[in-house]
Amino acid sequence: MGSDKKKKDGDKKKPEIEVKPTKVIELKVGLHCKKCVQKILSSLTQMRGVSRIDTDLEKNKVTVTGTVEEKEIVKKIGKLGKIAEPWKESSKSKSAAASAAAAGLKFMIKEDQPGIKFVVVKDQPSNCALM
């Protein structure tokens, strides 16, 4: 008689699932109209790992809560023709242009009226980054 070794269900190793921590990501994004906000909300809600999105039109601020990485959010917003950068109190015109350059986007700065500047991302169907 041989020894029968039977595996019990409790003896099986279950694959470990990596649990990503939830984080809050605050970004500065050129939002100057409700259509801009709606486009960003529509795009980000489709991303896996996003559990909440808050926008502040007056402050040009987008806050995303979830397990998604910041660079993924910035890339997704960039595909909409918008420039996203980490939230901090700084000069909009300098930081928006620097973010566009760092992301490898082709852009130009336009001044339609004295004191009002826009960052226009080239080759994007619709963009309106007010500075």
Side-chain angles (χ1 to χ4, degrees), residues 1-127:
M1 294 186 163
S3 63
D4 291 327
K5 292 184 179 179
K6 294 182 181 179
K7 291 187 178 182
K8 296 178 183 176
D9 288 339
D11 291 344
K12 291 182 182 179
K13 286 190 173 182
K14 294 181 182 178
E16 292 184 25
I17 299 172
E18 182 183 343
V19 178
K20 294 182 179 180
T22 300
K23 52 190 159 188
V24 177
I25 300 167
E26 295 179 316
L27 299 169
K28 181 170 29 172
V29 181
L31 305 172
H32 79 276
C33 65
K34 289 181 181 179
K35 186 175 179 182
C36 294
V37 171
Q38 188 57 43
K39 283 173 39 178
I40 287 175
L41 288 173
S42 175
S43 181
L44 294 182
T45 54
Q46 297 174 15
M47 292 182 73
R48 178 180 235 156
V50 173
S51 57
R52 181 181 172 141
I53 305 165
D54 295 306
T55 59
D56 187 330
L57 186 61
E58 288 182 21
K59 292 183 180 178
N60 290 314
K61 185 175 184 179
V62 175
T63 305
V64 180
T65 305
T67 59
V68 67
E69 295 296 321
E70 182 176 325
K71 62 184 176 183
E72 294 174 27
I73 298 169
V74 170
K75 185 176 180 180
K76 188 80 162 180
I77 292 172
K79 287 182 179 181
L80 297 173
K82 297 287 182 188
I83 299 167
E85 61 187 27
W87 179 260
K88 57 186 172 187
E89 299 298 324
S90 65
S91 169
K92 290 182 186 178
S93 61
K94 288 182 184 177
S95 56
S99 291
L105 299 173
K106 296 179 181 176
F107 70 97
M108 63 182 177
I109 298 175
K110 294 173 77 175
E111 187 169 358
D112 290 343
Q113 298 174 358
I116 300 177
K117 295 182 180 179
F118 294 85
V119 172
V120 179
V121 180
K122 296 181 179 180
D123 302 326
Q124 296 295 330
S126 160
N127 55 55

